[in-house]
Amino acid sequence: MTKPRTRSYSRYTLEALRLMGMLVRAGRAEKRMTAQELANRAGISRDFLHRIEKGDPRCELGVVFEVA
C-alpha cells in the first residue's frame, strides 16, 4: 500500500506554523540579518528559510527549531 501524497493539517497546526515563521522572521529582522546570512548560519538554503518563514508544514521540525 502506498502512502498518501497529501496530508491535511488542522487549522491549529497551520496557525502555529505561521506564528513560528513570523517569529523567525521578526527575530532575523531584529538582529538585522539577511535571509542569506541566517540560512548560511543554519546550513540551509535561502529558499528553505523562506519556506520556514511562510509556515510551510513540510519543513523538518528539527531544522525549524535550529533556525529559531
Side-chain angles (χ1 to χ4, degrees), residues 2-35:
T2 61
K3 292 183 178 182
R5 292 186 181 260
T6 60
R7 166 174 256 147
S8 60
Y9 295 95
S10 73
R11 64 185 169 118
Y12 303 108
T13 298
L14 295 174
E15 180 62 24
L17 290 166
R18 189 181 70 77
L19 178 60
M20 178 68 121
M22 288 173 52
L23 291 171
V24 167
R25 181 175 287 183
R28 178 173 62 81
E30 184 179 303
K31 294 179 188 275
R32 296 188 175 149
M33 294 179 75
T34 66

Side-chain angles (χ1 to χ4, degrees), residues 12-61:
Y12 303 108
T13 298
L14 295 174
E15 180 62 24
L17 290 166
R18 189 181 70 77
L19 178 60
M20 178 68 121
M22 288 173 52
L23 291 171
V24 167
R25 181 175 287 183
R28 178 173 62 81
E30 184 179 303
K31 294 179 188 275
R32 296 188 175 149
M33 294 179 75
T34 66
Q36 189 62 59
E37 289 171 336
L38 180 55
N40 289 344
R41 191 168 180 177
I44 60 174
S45 70
R46 195 182 77 198
D47 289 336
F48 195 87
L49 176 60
H50 284 299
R51 286 179 43 210
I52 291 171
E53 291 182 346
K54 289 181 179 183
D56 186 340
R58 296 170 295 165
C59 296
E60 295 177 39
L61 186 58

